[in-house]
Amino acid sequence: LRPVVLAGYAGTLAALVVPLLVVSACGTASESTGTGAPTGTSGPPVATELQKARQRWTDVGPVAYQITLVSSCGERMGLGVFEVTVTPQATEVRPVDGGSGDTDISTVPDLFTFIDETTVSGAEVVDVQYDVELGYPQQIEVDHWVDAIDDEACYQVKNFESLEAME
C-alpha cells in the first residue's frame, strides 16, 4: 500500500471543509426563541423574553387566580386538563376531562420555572407565547430533541381569571 499524497489538493480540501464547519456550527431552523423566531435571527433570546414576562407577572399579576391548564403532547405523566385555583393560602388542582392524575406544573410560577429549566438544559425548541398585559405564559411548546419521539411537552393556559376582587 502506498500513502496517498494530497499536497496539491490541500487548498481545495480546506476550501470545502471550512464552509461545512461554519454551516454545521450555525443553529438550525428548528431551534426557536421565545417569540417563535428561529435562533440566529434578530428575535430576542428566550431568556430575555422570559425575564421580561416574569417581571411583568411579578409587577402586575394577581396573587389569587383561576386557570384551566391543558397539559398535552409527549409521553409523560400529568397529561390532561386541570382546573387550578391559586390563593395565598393554597393551590387546588382538579383534573377534568380525563386528566391523568397529578401534575408537577400547575401555577404560573411553575410554568416560568419549567421554561427556565428547559432553556437552561438546552432543549432544541422552546416556543412560548406570553400574555401581553400580565406576562403569564399562555402557550408553551418544548421539544427537547427534535429527532426524538414523545419527548415534547406542551402547556396552554385558558380561562385566566383574577380572584383578587373576590377576596
Side-chain angles (χ1 to χ4, degrees):
L1 294 175
R2 295 184 326 184
V4 178
V5 177
L6 296 175
Y9 299 102
T12 304
L13 184 60
L16 293 173
V17 172
V18 171
L20 289 175
L21 291 174
V22 170
V23 168
S24 67
C26 294
T28 63
S30 65
E31 293 175 338
S32 179
T33 67
T35 60
T39 300
T41 65
S42 60
V46 174
T48 302
E49 288 299 307
L50 172 62
Q51 291 166 350
K52 288 179 184 177
R54 185 180 267 153
Q55 188 61 53
R56 192 167 39 249
W57 175 257
T58 300
D59 291 345
V60 297
V63 175
Y65 56 92
Q66 278 184 319
I67 59 172
T68 301
L69 179 67
V70 180
S71 174
S72 62
C73 78
E75 198 167 302
R76 58 194 171 81
M77 297 299 294
L79 294 174
V81 179
F82 302 88
E83 295 294 332
V84 180
T85 303
V86 177
T87 65
Q89 297 78 25
T91 298
E92 178 187 343
V93 180
R94 189 172 53 88
V96 294
D97 294 335
S100 61
D102 295 333
T103 178
D104 291 340
I105 297 173
S106 57
T107 67
V108 170
D110 292 344
L111 292 167
F112 283 128
T113 299
F114 173 73
I115 296 163
D116 193 35
E117 288 172 352
T118 57
T119 303
V120 169
S121 71
E124 291 185 39
V125 175
V126 178
D127 191 17
V128 182
Q129 296 173 11
Y130 297 97
D131 180 75
V132 176
E133 183 181 333
L134 299 176
Y136 67 88
Q138 291 179 309
Q139 181 104 14
I140 304 169
E141 294 182 19
V142 172
D143 192 350
H144 297 279
W145 302 281
V146 174
D147 294 332
I149 297 173
D150 292 337
D151 66 314
E152 301 84 7
C154 304
Y155 293 95
Q156 184 177 20
V157 173
K158 295 181 172 184
N159 307 322
F160 185 94
E161 182 181 346
S162 174
L163 301 177
E164 290 190 346
M166 298 177 168
E167 289 189 16

